[in-house]
Amino acid sequence: MIKSLSISNAIFTDSKDGSISEVLKKLNFKKFSEMHQTHSDHYLKINSEGTYKADAIVTSKRNLPLVVKTADCLPILVTDTKFVAAIHAGWRGLENKIIEKTLSNFNKAKLRVNVGPHAQSCCYEVKDDVAVFFEKFIDIRSGKKYLNMSEIIKDYFETNKIENEISEICTICDPNYFSFRDNGTKNRQFGIIWI
């Protein structure tokens, strides 16, 4: 389990931490909110437990953990002290501006963002149909193209002066994490944030 250095109530799990119910039990929570994630640009403001069809959920309700599930995509946890958000973003979410759209709800002056383990450019090979959207953030090695999602979001955060913490752990090559790209797993790790 990784505890955020910049956000007091934010954690990221790994493959050994167990199910979401086991993790939340350790944190003394019984209720939570999660998403049916579809790689969309859809975010919702919520105030009760449940599963929401979205790729980002935002709340100001206390003691309601928000959960994002990933196995290579970016798990993004956000706070401005009044609101918190959990965001799921892969290359489609980045292209469709899910991060920008969700952060439009936040006080930029107090904003802090933490990005957990995800597919890194060492391993995240893409084809031309994806590379065309992110030419500035493609590494080419031995004729193959690798997407650097960390640099895409780092560039956005720096341009907008947003305090951020971005994991350098690669879910594809680190055996402590689930990776859909590596082996097609249906298992996920979790990013969890609450007020």
Side-chain angles (χ1 to χ4, degrees), residues 20 24 30-36 44 46-54 57 59 61 64-69:
I20 189 59
L24 289 170
K30 291 180 181 167
K31 299 177 179 180
F32 67 97
S33 291
E34 62 182 344
M35 296 169 277
H36 173 66
L44 289 172
I46 64 161
N47 59 19
S48 59
E49 67 175 307
T51 302
Y52 296 88
K53 190 172 182 182
I57 46 179
T59 194
K61 188 169 178 65
L64 179 64
L66 305 181
V67 177
V68 55
K69 300 167 284 186

Side-chain angles (χ1 to χ4, degrees), residues 32 47 115 118 141 153:
F32 67 97
N47 59 19
V115 182
H118 56 277
R141 298 189 303 276
I153 54 174

Side-chain angles (χ1 to χ4, degrees), residues 4-163:
S4 170
L5 299 175
S6 58
I7 303 173
S8 58
N9 295 333
I11 62 160
F12 297 99
T13 67
D14 62 31
S15 62
K16 298 179 186 76
D17 288 320
S19 68
I20 189 59
S21 57
E22 291 170 322
V23 172
L24 289 170
K25 187 175 180 182
K26 290 176 198 169
L27 297 170
N28 294 314
F29 290 114
K30 291 180 181 167
K31 299 177 179 180
F32 67 97
S33 291
E34 62 182 344
M35 296 169 277
H36 173 66
Q37 300 164 182
T38 61
H39 298 277
S40 71
D41 64 347
H42 192 56
Y43 70 86
L44 289 172
K45 289 184 177 179
I46 64 161
N47 59 19
S48 59
E49 67 175 307
T51 302
Y52 296 88
K53 190 172 182 182
D55 281 273
I57 46 179
V58 179
T59 194
S60 60
K61 188 169 178 65
R62 294 195 165 276
N63 298 312
L64 179 64
L66 305 181
V67 177
V68 55
K69 300 167 284 186
T70 56
D72 292 327
C73 289
L74 299 157
I76 305 168
L77 304 177
V78 181
T79 186
D80 65 0
T81 68
K82 182 180 178 184
F83 291 98
V84 292
I87 306 171
H88 164 256
W91 73 264
R92 286 183 187 86
L94 292 172
E95 170 61 15
N96 289 319
K97 311 280 188 219
I98 182 71
I99 300 169
E100 294 90 325
K101 290 173 183 176
T102 306
L103 296 188
S104 67
N105 295 277
F106 286 80
N107 179 342
K108 298 288 191 297
K110 296 183 177 180
L111 196 55
R112 284 174 287 155
V113 180
N114 194 325
V115 182
H118 56 277
Q120 302 280 354
S121 61
C122 55
C123 300
Y124 191 8
E125 184 183 352
V126 295
K127 303 296 182 196
D128 290 341
D129 60 334
V130 174
V132 70
F133 296 115
F134 306 104
E135 290 179 6
K136 183 179 166 187
F137 303 101
I138 295 293
D139 299 332
I140 299 175
R141 298 189 303 276
S142 303
K144 295 181 177 179
K145 297 179 179 182
Y146 297 86
L147 180 60
N148 194 329
M149 292 194 294
S150 290
E151 284 302 314
I152 295 170
I153 54 174
K154 194 179 293 180
D155 183 67
Y156 170 74
F157 293 149
E158 288 176 1
T159 300
N160 290 278
K161 298 178 173 54
I162 296 170
E163 184 181 330

